[in-house]
Amino acid sequence: MGARIGVVGLGRIGAFHCDTLAALDGVSSLVVLDDRPDVTASVADRHRATAVTTLDDLLSADIDGVVVAAATPAHASVLLTAVDAGIPVFCEKPLASTAVESAAVVSGLASSAVPVQVGFNRRFDPAVAAAYRAVRAGELGALHTVRSTTLDPAPPPADYIAASGGLFRDCSVHDVDTVRWIVGREVVSVFAAGTASDDPRFTAAGDVHTATTLLTFDDGTLGVVSNSRFNGRGYDCRLEVHGRTDTVVAGWDAATPVRNVDPAHDDRGPHPFPSATPHSFFVDRFAESYRAELAAFLDVVAGRRSSPCTPADALEVAWIAEAATASLHRSAPVTLEEVRS
């Protein structure tokens, strides 16, 4: 018998999670909730799920776990209410709107044994996971640089930009979590630079559309995070891990949205690379990792494993995003100790 999973929030990612969960062998049924009744009814009909109208109804519907995919301001209250009810939680990033609020969530979970998994799906990308294993096996020698890149094809709507919390809190956090996970050490300082001078949608929100962030770890390893809302060729997400004895990469596949100008490998050459239609959206780039992270959550629900991405991990990423935001405005490095104080 599979698990009965509740899903709170049925926007783009919540509806996608429902599609993914419904296709997993370990799921017997879904209970769904959104503040838009027509959306709840539509998703329930598509997956023969139980539609409910309140969080209390969902938590009392004999569910084994709950996926929180509602808007960010609702994450903390839904998560803590579910944990208080003794129900394991998968929560999309971030835990809360700010690092301070996220710290309060982690504090509130300190005395609980109910598992919580946070949705940093890139840890489950097969190539990223292989890079992690190579580092842990010592195959690269001492690390010196880890680069993570995320370039979106086009900006989100202006109302999303205004409410997102900024590029560092909304987008860069995925790269930051990946780099921190790969390095296995803690970030001590952050230096960020960005631009938005040519786009009033971002300047009006006090945000940037393109940024580079330098992370310095406590052992001297450097992390370089590159992000942009403008990459007309497609959705580009790549990782490079450089050690003293070897380098590994992830995300360099046949659909990487770059144009190779090396004549031996461009689209006129005998061995063109990349050779496939470029990735156009995060869902097609990371479909396999989303399935893997929710399959992992089913193992967490069943008690077969501990949380692979904890609230404490998410809190560290939130503090780093705060430091990056502060660094951008100061045009100077910012330490993690400063933002925590």
Side-chain angles (χ1 to χ4, degrees):
M1 186 68 175
R4 182 169 168 84
I5 302 295
V7 181
V8 180
L10 303 174
R12 181 175 66 181
I13 193 63
F16 179 69
H17 283 331
C18 286
D19 295 342
T20 303
L21 287 163
L24 292 176
D25 291 338
V27 175
S28 63
S29 60
L30 300 176
V31 181
V32 296
L33 168 65
D34 192 90
D35 57 9
R36 299 162 295 175
D38 58 326
V39 172
T40 304
S42 175
V43 173
D45 182 65
R46 185 163 72 247
H47 296 299
R48 297 182 180 178
T50 300
V52 296
T53 57
T54 70
L55 181 60
D56 285 343
D57 289 340
L58 182 136
L59 297 178
S60 62
D62 196 27
I63 59 174
D64 300 295
V66 61
V67 170
V68 180
T72 294
H75 285 190
S77 62
V78 175
L79 187 162
L80 292 172
T81 302
V83 167
D84 285 345
I87 300 171
V89 175
F90 175 95
C91 183
E92 273 301 335
K93 65 83 185 169
L95 292 176
S97 297
T98 69
V100 171
E101 292 170 348
S102 296
V105 172
V106 171
S107 178
L109 295 171
S111 61
S112 173
V114 177
V116 176
Q117 177 180 339
V118 183
F120 284 110
N121 67 292
R122 295 185 192 180
R123 296 186 181 204
F124 297 89
D125 176 77
V128 173
Y132 174 86
R133 291 192 297 271
V135 170
R136 293 300 170 277
E139 296 173 14
L140 280 64
L143 297 187
H144 56 77
T145 310
V146 181
R147 305 176 189 272
S148 186
T149 299
T150 300
L151 310 177
D152 292 332
D159 57 349
Y160 181 94
I161 294 168
S164 70
L167 182 70
F168 301 111
R169 298 185 183 99
D170 178 59
C171 176
S172 305
V173 290
H174 283 290
D175 299 279
V176 169
D177 179 72
T178 301
V179 172
R180 179 176 173 270
W181 184 59
I182 292 288
V183 173
R185 308 284 303 192
E186 296 302 337
V187 173
V188 293
S189 69
V190 177
F191 181 58
T195 185
S197 58
D198 60 338
D199 196 315
R201 291 171 296 180
F202 292 91
T203 54
D207 195 9
V208 293
H209 59 63
T210 301
T212 295
T213 307
L214 177 65
L215 311 174
T216 301
F217 286 84
D218 58 9
D219 65 346
T221 302
L222 299 178
V224 182
V225 171
S226 299
N227 303 112
S228 181
R229 299 294 196 183
F230 290 97
N231 193 58
R233 194 165 185 84
Y235 179 74
D236 191 354
C237 184
R238 289 175 276 129
L239 173 73
E240 301 173 8
V241 186
H242 303 276
R244 291 189 179 183
T245 58
D246 201 2
T247 289
V248 295
V249 300
W252 281 103
D253 58 34
T256 301
V258 297
R259 186 164 62 91
N260 195 341
V261 294
D262 182 338
H265 298 288
D266 67 15
D267 56 11
R268 301 181 302 273
H271 304 291
F273 177 86
S275 58
T277 301
H279 297 297
S280 61
F281 197 38
F282 71 88
V283 169
D284 71 84
R285 168 65 178 86
F286 286 114
E288 185 171 354
S289 69
Y290 280 114
R291 283 193 296 271
E293 75 168 352
L294 289 174
F297 178 58
L298 296 181
D299 286 338
V300 171
V301 167
R304 291 188 290 266
R305 67 177 297 176
S306 59
S307 172
C309 187
T310 67
D313 291 325
L315 176 58
E316 287 304 308
V317 172
W319 285 125
I320 295 166
E322 294 294 322
T325 303
S327 175
L328 176 72
H329 294 305
R330 296 185 200 173
S331 298
V334 172
T335 68
L336 271 292
E337 185 179 0
E338 288 179 73
V339 295
R340 288 194 181 99
S341 62

